[in-house]
Amino acid sequence: CVIRGARDKGVKVTTGAHARVEGSWIEGNANGGVQATLGGHVSVVGSVVENNAGIGGENGLAVQGLDEFDALSTLTVEDSIVRGNGGNGLSVRAWATAVVGDTAFAGNGTAGMRVFNDVGAPALAVAEGSAFACNALDGAVVANGSLVDLGGGPFASDGGNAFSGNGAGGAGFDLRNVSGNPVAAAFGQWDGCGAGAVCNEAAVLAGDVRDAGAGVAISPAVAAAGLGLPLVTRVEPQRGRAGELV
């Protein structure tokens, strides 16, 4: 589907409902792209979510719940592109969970992914095999009492995330931890790794990571030069028509 030009969210799922957004283009909506809220559950697969703006809800993807057990909201994102949105590429807020795989968050107006609970109970996000690149402020940021596993942490992320070019002009960082919890981000690639076959982890911690919380663990990090040439193992869909995302 193409969902464009909505006066509020392109897709909003709430109060215990479930939705799957697959192979779709969510673009140019007035106050955010896709949102799960108040106990809603959304899966976004193989889609492009871009250029959604607004005031207050201007995120490409957003998930938030209520501070009650029966109002947990959930979001899963796979094989998608989330770019050019007015706020965060992905906002995970208060009594919500997000699981992200093989997705690119690029060129968003604040962070690629923000996980926080300025109100309510902590949020949780797990990401692997994803890129956080060229976002205006931070690649990924975790705040308050919320939790993130970007690789090698307690929630089984395999890592493999790439962080590059975030916070142009020194405004932000590839990864910012201002929470009360440690952040695991092992097996990732960073700008500061350098051109060698072994990542310069000290440079990453000095320049790419901002830790004002309980610590960030990036080791082992993976230098791009040590990976060799990329190998294409899968293309989805296997056939495409003009204008489709492959």
Side-chain angles (χ1 to χ4, degrees), residues 139-234:
V141 57
V142 55
N144 311 117
S146 293
L147 300 161
V148 166
D149 186 352
L150 299 172
F155 302 102
S157 170
D158 290 334
N161 299 297
F163 300 84
S164 180
N166 298 289
F173 298 88
D174 284 335
L175 173 59
R176 184 193 300 261
N177 181 18
V178 290
S179 77
N181 299 302
V183 171
F187 312 109
Q189 297 176 47
W190 309 84
D191 284 332
C193 276
V198 177
C199 180
N200 185 341
E201 294 181 357
V204 172
L205 291 171
D208 297 340
V209 173
R210 168 66 170 169
D211 176 30
V216 174
I218 66 164
S219 186
V222 181
L227 294 174
L229 295 174
L231 175 65
V232 177
T233 59
R234 184 182 69 191

Side-chain angles (χ1 to χ4, degrees), residues 36-220:
T37 186
L38 305 180
H41 308 280
V42 178
S43 176
V44 178
V45 181
S47 297
V48 176
V49 181
E50 64 180 349
N51 303 327
N52 298 286
I55 299 175
E58 61 273 30
N59 308 293
L61 305 171
V63 54
Q64 63 185 50
L66 286 177
D67 196 7
E68 303 171 10
F69 182 77
D70 60 355
L72 175 71
S73 297
T74 66
L75 174 72
T76 61
V77 190
E78 302 174 27
D79 303 327
S80 294
I81 298 171
V82 184
R83 64 187 178 192
N85 298 288
N88 303 294
L90 168 60
S91 173
V92 188
R93 181 188 187 197
W95 206 251
T97 66
V99 178
V100 178
D102 303 321
T103 291
F105 298 90
N108 295 289
T110 52
M113 176 175 73
R114 185 181 181 205
V115 186
F116 66 112
N117 58 300
D118 55 340
V119 295
L124 165 66
V126 178
E128 60 185 25
S130 296
F132 301 86
C134 302
N135 298 288
L137 190 56
D138 299 309
V141 57
V142 55
N144 311 117
S146 293
L147 300 161
V148 166
D149 186 352
L150 299 172
F155 302 102
S157 170
D158 290 334
N161 299 297
F163 300 84
S164 180
N166 298 289
F173 298 88
D174 284 335
L175 173 59
R176 184 193 300 261
N177 181 18
V178 290
S179 77
N181 299 302
V183 171
F187 312 109
Q189 297 176 47
W190 309 84
D191 284 332
C193 276
V198 177
C199 180
N200 185 341
E201 294 181 357
V204 172
L205 291 171
D208 297 340
V209 173
R210 168 66 170 169
D211 176 30
V216 174
I218 66 164
S219 186

